[in-house]
Amino acid sequence: MADFSHDPIESLFHAAFRALPDAACILEPIGGPGDELSDWRYLASNPALCRLIGIDDPTGQRLGHHHPEAARQWAQDFQRVLQRGTPEVLVRQSSRYPQVYEVSLVPLVEGGRRAIMARIRDISSEHFARERRREADARYERLFDAIDEGFCIIEVIFDDTGKATDYLFIEANEPFVQHTGIKSPVGKTMRSFQPDIEDAWAATYGRIALSGVPERFESESIAMGRWFDVFAFPIGEKAPFRVGILFEDIGQRKTMELALRHSEARLQSLIEATSDMIFRMNPQGTLARQVGGKPLLGEVGEESNWVEEFVPDSDRAIVRAALDDAILRRVPIAIEHPVRTIDGTVRWLHSRAVPVLDDQGAITEWFGMSTDITERRSTEHQLIRGAQMLRVASEIGKVAIWDWNVETGELIWSDEHFRIEGYEPGEVVPTFELWAERVHPEDRAEADRKVEQAMASGEDYVNEYRLIQPSGDMRWVSARGRFIYSDKGEPLRMLGAMIDITQRRREEEWQRLLVAELQHRVRNLIGMVRSVARLSAPSHRNVNEYVDHLIGRLQAMGRTQSTLTRSPGSSVDLAELVREELVVHAVQPDLCMVDGPELALSPHAAEIVTLAIHELATNSVKYGALGDTGYIRIMWTTHEKDGKPWVSLRWQETAATPRPKNKRKGFGRRLIEERVPYELGGDGRFFLYDTGVLVELEFPLTSGGSILDTRSSASGLL
Amino acid sequence: MIGRTLRGRRIVILEDDYFQAHDCKAMLEQAGAVVVAVSATIPSLDGLLAKGPIDAVLIDINLGDSVSFDFARLLVCNAIPFAFLTGYDAAMLPDDLAGRAYISKPADHARVRAVLAEIIASRPG
């Protein structure tokens, strides 16, 4: 202290210096200007310094004397401050103690003498408190950044009238950006980002800032295009408080909520508008309640045992069983059943219900809907009945039906169609090609042409053709079909029916042959009559006699025809023929003897034999035995000749008195001697004796058809 | 003129009805023709030709149990003119013989003679 003069002011400063609560000292560098600094010397120190560093008054001593290592450390700082000429405040950790010091270094220049005043304050407690606070802050910051919600602290800005107009962001966490879209908000006001932000926001935060009462709310910012869920609370000791805002952008959730609400509304509308009945039912399936839609059962009140009350007796057991099964297996049920509604009418419902299960899988209730299917069922029944009628009709009528889908080529045949084509029903897959293959090759082109024509013209397809079954059998069929067209006129389907007309065709054919045969026979007969008439003429000069003969012969021919038509078999009994002819000529039974085995003659042979007997009887009545008291024997036998059966017939007259001979070769004799050999391939002999005529006819027996059995000859003709 | 045409012509008659055959034969002979054969069944053509040439044949379609078409075809092959004389319609003729001379029964004599004269006159070669 001796270096300082002892004037009163100085002494006062000195006293003040010594009284400073903080440790203080003044040091000057050792060595003159330009010398290398080696150390610093205490020019002054106060008691606080001595206490702080635990030494006696160091004035006059070198810094390095007590603390050489501290001297080196401090020397740099002192020198820097001295050179720069500006004070510095440094914070230094003690090298030996856990203390932290605040060191204020002030350069002093007084009359060319330079020094440093150092004031040292122990700020350990402050320092550690700040450290702790900083750590806490960092933790909060990490916490705020870690949460998903946006967080910020604001200071509300009020105008002169006390109205909150804006707010300043003091702090904001990372998610803040993502929830608001605002980047780097700290230090800026809300309106600097969003000038048109609704006034309500600042007003709300202003209210909180003033009242200190936290608020929780959901609000939409149309300006920001976002929905927020907000918790805002006051921060600080007194009003106006800062406001902490914890918030979340709930736009997506809000959109979903709205969508859900719309969806529910729509569902409700649907339930109200539907023509189905929506119902709930207890787990046992006994009590049901209409909850929406159309009350298909009528106004039935709160709850009802619908199976018991509305399902008719006839179906109750089935419905109950189906329901019990679904309950047991806990599976959805879908059944069609009749109900008797409140007004007594019976309607058909299609009911579906699903079980609502709890966590344990037990049924808590059933939820379902019923559709009125009365009309549909009625239509179905009509269709089924119609189809049944068609099937029965087509089966009874043996009508084959086809349905050809022109577009896809699919062809459907009825059972009868398969049968007519020669297949078992379902044996083959019908196709157009298969049908075409079965058509008789000669009728194929015409059938194709008619199908094409019908398709092009829209007129009915009408065709009669032959088809060949796989077995080779030929059938005649009559088919009619019709094409169905689209709106654009394209052929879509061809429906048609076909019947087997083979039998009809055969009968027509047979009829045609019969007519032809009849014509032939009639013409032949007329030709024969003409010939007979002509041949009869020369022997009669008397016209009346000629007519008698001719009529007799024609009647005999007529008898043959009537005999043939009377017995539709293929032959005529010889005995019957002979007896009839004798009866016609009034031959008394006691005047004749007819004897021979039962024998059938062909129509041709019968005709000739009839005429022969006629001629012989006529002659005999006129000239021979029958004109007298004579006797006639007609006998026949059969024998074999060249492997064929032959008949040998004999006509023998025995006259009581000799008769005049008629030597002329008349019609009868020519018949016997010439026609028998000519037409029957046999032999005819005519002998004229005094006692009467002896005729012997021999011819082979051939079977031949009657006029009603000309099929063989007629079909052979074709 | 017609009579002169048939004069000396050698004709065969196939007719299974004796009276008609006889009647026809008498008529043709009256017209000056030579009836070479009258048969109720189908004869052997070679056998007939062995006796001499044949100018024309009259054929009934239905000869008892058999049909004469094959014989007619044989005549075609031998270029011998023929005419069907039958109670059947001309429509009954098979396709290959349709259009051949045809006389429907009952036919009058003049018609038979005219047809025969015509087919003999238009005989090929």
Side-chain angles (χ1 to χ4, degrees):
Chain A
M1 288 283 130
D3 292 345
F4 288 95
S5 57
H6 289 94
D7 68 43
I9 299 295
E10 217 167 78
S11 299
L12 210 57
F13 276 119
H14 188 72
F17 180 72
R18 288 183 59 86
L20 277 174
D22 293 338
C25 62
I26 296 168
L27 295 130
E28 71 170 354
I30 298 171
D35 292 348
E36 194 182 334
L37 274 176
S38 57
D39 207 349
W40 293 73
R41 184 169 44 238
Y42 288 100
L43 288 180
S45 68
N46 67 354
L49 180 78
C50 298
R51 281 195 304 277
L52 182 70
I53 56 179
I55 53 171
D56 294 333
D57 185 4
T59 304
Q61 292 177 0
R62 287 184 293 120
L63 182 64
H65 176 74
H66 291 287
H67 305 296
E69 75 284 5
R72 279 195 299 278
Q73 189 190 332
W74 285 110
Q76 288 178 353
D77 293 329
F78 293 168
Q79 191 165 359
R80 185 178 66 250
V81 170
L82 203 59
Q83 277 176 352
R84 286 182 184 165
T86 53
E88 284 185 23
V89 176
L90 303 171
V91 174
R92 285 286 180 267
Q93 174 93 42
S94 161
S95 54
R96 283 181 297 178
Y97 311 105
Q99 269 77 11
V100 176
Y101 303 103
E102 184 189 74
V103 182
S104 299
L105 298 175
V106 180
L108 301 172
V109 179
E110 182 63 41
R113 232 176 132 184
R114 296 185 308 161
I116 289 284
M117 185 178 82
R119 190 171 55 90
I120 302 162
R121 196 159 60 92
D122 182 352
I123 57 163
S124 296
S125 58
E126 285 171 48
H127 176 80
F128 288 120
R130 197 182 298 127
E131 279 292 304
R132 279 195 298 278
R133 200 161 56 242
R134 193 177 297 131
E135 277 175 19
D137 284 353
R139 276 203 299 276
Y140 282 126
E141 220 161 277
R142 278 203 299 279
L143 176 66
F144 288 142
D145 287 343
I147 60 175
D148 291 333
E149 287 83 0
F151 177 72
C152 61
I153 297 171
I154 57 164
E155 218 169 65
V156 181
I157 300 165
F158 297 92
D159 68 4
D160 297 342
T161 63
K163 183 185 166 198
T165 56
D166 199 358
Y167 43 94
L168 179 71
F169 292 105
I170 306 300
E171 250 181 82
N173 68 352
E174 278 180 12
F176 177 93
V177 177
Q178 148 196 350
H179 283 282
T180 59
I182 295 171
K183 287 174 186 166
S184 309
V186 175
K188 294 171 186 152
T189 68
M190 183 65 208
R191 287 205 190 272
S192 68
F193 294 108
Q194 196 80 50
D196 56 346
I197 186 76
E198 293 84 0
D199 295 341
W201 294 95
T204 303
Y205 297 139
R207 186 168 65 244
I208 295 165
L210 295 177
S211 69
V213 178
E215 292 186 27
R216 178 182 284 283
F217 60 93
E218 272 184 16
S219 185
E220 184 185 18
S221 169
I222 293 166
M224 295 177 74
R226 288 170 192 261
W227 265 93
F228 293 104
D229 178 12
V230 178
F231 176 61
F233 53 94
I235 296 175
E237 302 299 317
K238 57 182 177 56
F241 301 96
R242 287 181 169 179
V243 180
I245 304 171
L246 189 62
F247 67 100
E248 197 180 352
D249 176 6
I250 55 167
Q252 206 173 353
R253 198 179 81 201
K254 216 67 198 172
T255 310
M256 282 168 66
E257 276 177 14
L258 281 174
L260 191 62
R261 202 173 302 149
H262 285 148
S263 154
E264 276 174 355
R266 276 200 299 275
L267 185 62
Q268 194 58 37
S269 308
L270 186 69
I271 288 174
E272 295 307 323
T274 182
S275 57
D276 292 343
M277 176 182 79
I278 316 290
F279 63 86
R280 295 169 72 170
M281 186 166 65
N282 66 349
Q284 297 74 36
T286 51
L287 296 175
R289 187 151 53 97
Q290 299 183 18
V291 294
K294 192 175 178 187
L296 295 178
L297 299 174
E299 297 305 329
V300 297
E302 263 301 277
E303 266 185 335
S304 54
N305 188 333
W306 67 282
V307 177
E308 294 299 322
E309 289 177 35
F310 297 104
V311 178
D313 298 350
S314 53
D315 291 76
R316 194 172 299 141
I318 298 170
V319 172
R320 191 64 249 181
L323 200 52
D324 287 343
D325 179 60
I327 290 169
L328 188 69
R329 297 194 291 131
R330 289 177 289 185
V331 293
I333 181 174
I335 48 170
E336 291 189 2
H337 59 90
V339 289
R340 190 177 298 281
T341 63
I342 282 288
D343 62 12
T345 58
V346 171
R347 304 203 64 82
W348 274 84
L349 302 185
H350 178 221
S351 296
R352 291 87 69 205
V354 287
V356 180
L357 305 176
D358 65 12
D359 294 342
Q360 279 74 46
I363 300 173
T364 57
E365 68 170 341
W366 291 82
F367 194 69
M369 62 198 291
S370 297
T371 310
D372 190 337
I373 54 164
T374 313
E375 304 301 322
R376 195 193 80 200
R377 272 186 76 97
S378 151
T379 310
E380 278 175 4
H381 272 282
Q382 280 173 3
L383 282 174
I384 289 167
R385 203 176 303 129
Q388 203 169 22
M389 281 169 69
L390 185 63
R391 194 173 63 244
V392 170
S394 63
E395 276 175 16
I396 291 176
K398 293 208 176 297
V399 178
I401 296 170
W402 78 85
D403 180 352
W404 176 35
N405 187 323
V406 181
E407 288 182 308
T408 65
E410 188 191 12
L411 180 60
I412 296 166
W413 282 354
S414 69
D415 289 357
E416 187 60 24
H417 206 302
F418 279 100
R419 288 186 201 109
I420 290 181
E421 299 277 355
Y423 299 104
E424 287 299 313
E427 183 188 336
V428 288
V429 176
T431 59
F432 184 87
E433 289 70 28
L434 182 70
W435 167 79
E437 196 182 303
R438 296 265 70 86
V439 177
H440 192 289
E442 289 174 15
D443 296 346
R444 174 67 195 279
E446 179 69 359
D448 282 347
R449 192 189 65 76
K450 284 185 169 173
V451 169
E452 277 168 30
Q453 191 193 353
M455 193 190 288
S457 67
E459 287 166 12
D460 282 0
Y461 160 77
V462 180
N463 194 14
E464 284 193 6
Y465 61 94
R466 289 163 292 175
L467 59 83
I468 307 292
Q469 295 183 339
S471 63
D473 286 351
M474 190 270 282
R475 313 296 300 174
W476 269 99
V477 294
S478 170
R480 296 184 76 98
R482 185 172 297 173
F483 279 93
I484 294 171
Y485 301 86
S486 70
D487 294 340
K488 294 177 196 159
E490 294 156 336
L492 299 176
R493 291 164 72 196
M494 183 198 198
L495 297 170
M498 180 172 87
I499 52 170
D500 185 338
I501 56 163
T502 311
Q503 187 62 25
R504 196 190 83 197
R505 276 272 173 172
R506 267 195 200 133
E507 282 163 5
E508 284 173 1
E509 192 82 338
W510 167 227
Q511 198 170 25
R512 206 163 58 81
L513 290 174
L514 203 61
V515 167
E517 188 64 19
L518 203 60
Q519 203 173 32
H520 160 72
R521 294 261 165 152
V522 168
R523 286 172 180 170
N524 221 24
L525 205 57
I526 292 169
M528 206 158 75
V529 168
R530 280 167 58 146
S531 300
V532 167
R534 196 171 288 121
L535 289 169
S536 299
S539 62
H540 303 281
R541 289 188 180 85
N542 185 316
V543 173
N544 287 336
E545 200 181 336
Y546 163 66
V547 169
D548 285 348
H549 269 100
L550 186 57
I551 287 174
R553 283 164 190 156
L554 294 181
Q555 280 174 338
M557 285 164 69
R559 280 196 295 281
T560 319
Q561 294 300 322
S562 66
T563 307
L564 290 172
T565 48
R566 197 168 58 226
S567 57
S570 61
S571 55
V572 181
D573 182 59
L574 179 57
E576 191 186 338
L577 183 157
V578 170
R579 285 200 188 92
E580 190 167 341
E581 212 47 42
L582 294 174
V583 167
V584 167
H585 290 89
V587 177
Q588 298 301 310
D590 57 334
L591 292 182
C592 64
M593 188 190 84
V594 177
D595 186 33
E598 193 175 315
L599 194 65
L601 293 185
S602 71
H604 194 195
E607 185 185 326
I608 291 170
V609 171
T610 301
L611 275 175
I613 302 287
H614 165 76
E615 292 296 327
L616 289 169
T618 305
N619 269 329
S620 184
V621 168
K622 201 169 182 179
Y623 309 110
L626 294 177
D628 199 353
T629 52
Y631 192 76
I632 303 172
R633 281 196 190 84
I634 303 164
M635 294 165 294
W636 61 90
T637 55
T638 58
H639 60 276
E640 201 163 293
K641 190 172 171 182
D642 300 332
K644 285 181 183 171
W646 279 58
V647 61
S648 174
L649 185 143
R650 170 188 283 246
W651 167 286
Q652 187 171 19
E653 293 181 18
T654 309
T657 53
R659 306 293 292 187
K661 287 182 184 175
N662 183 352
K663 288 184 179 171
R664 195 178 54 82
K665 193 171 184 175
F667 183 87
R669 190 165 175 178
R670 287 177 64 179
L671 176 84
I672 289 159
E673 290 182 336
E674 295 177 17
R675 192 178 174 192
V676 170
Y678 185 83
E679 292 187 21
L680 297 181
D683 194 13
R685 291 180 293 276
F686 188 96
F687 304 102
L688 189 61
Y689 298 112
D690 287 348
T691 52
V693 173
L694 171 64
V695 169
E696 286 172 345
L697 294 178
E698 268 190 340
F699 55 89
L701 284 170
T702 55
S703 58
S706 78
I707 194 165
L708 292 175
D709 186 30
T710 51
R711 184 178 300 204
S712 54
S713 65
S715 56
L717 193 69
L718 293 171
Chain B
M1 179 133 170
I2 288 167
R4 201 171 59 227
T5 312
L6 288 181
R7 187 163 300 280
R9 295 301 184 187
R10 297 169 60 80
I11 293 168
V12 172
I13 299 170
L14 299 186
E15 165 62 66
D16 67 347
D17 183 81
Y18 165 75
F19 293 121
Q20 293 183 66
H22 186 78
D23 189 28
C24 191
K25 177 172 180 265
M27 179 270 288
L28 291 177
E29 282 173 350
Q30 206 172 0
V34 179
V35 177
V36 178
V38 178
S39 177
T41 56
I42 292 166
S44 156
L45 184 59
D46 290 343
L48 291 175
L49 289 172
K51 294 181 199 163
I54 299 168
D55 291 312
V57 183
L58 261 182
I59 306 175
D60 187 3
I61 289 174
N62 190 352
L63 293 176
D65 289 339
S66 52
V67 177
S68 58
F69 295 139
D70 283 342
F71 186 74
R73 292 184 183 108
L74 197 58
L75 294 177
V76 172
C77 292
N78 284 273
I80 298 169
F82 61 91
F84 288 110
L85 176 59
T86 179
Y88 291 113
D89 269 343
M92 291 298 226
L93 294 174
D95 289 350
D96 61 327
L97 295 172
R100 291 279 164 179
Y102 161 87
I103 307 161
S104 174
K105 283 184 183 176
D108 60 49
H109 290 169
R111 166 110 180 105
V112 176
R113 285 196 298 268
V115 170
L116 282 175
E118 194 182 318
I119 59 171
I120 291 168
S122 61
R123 164 193 208 163

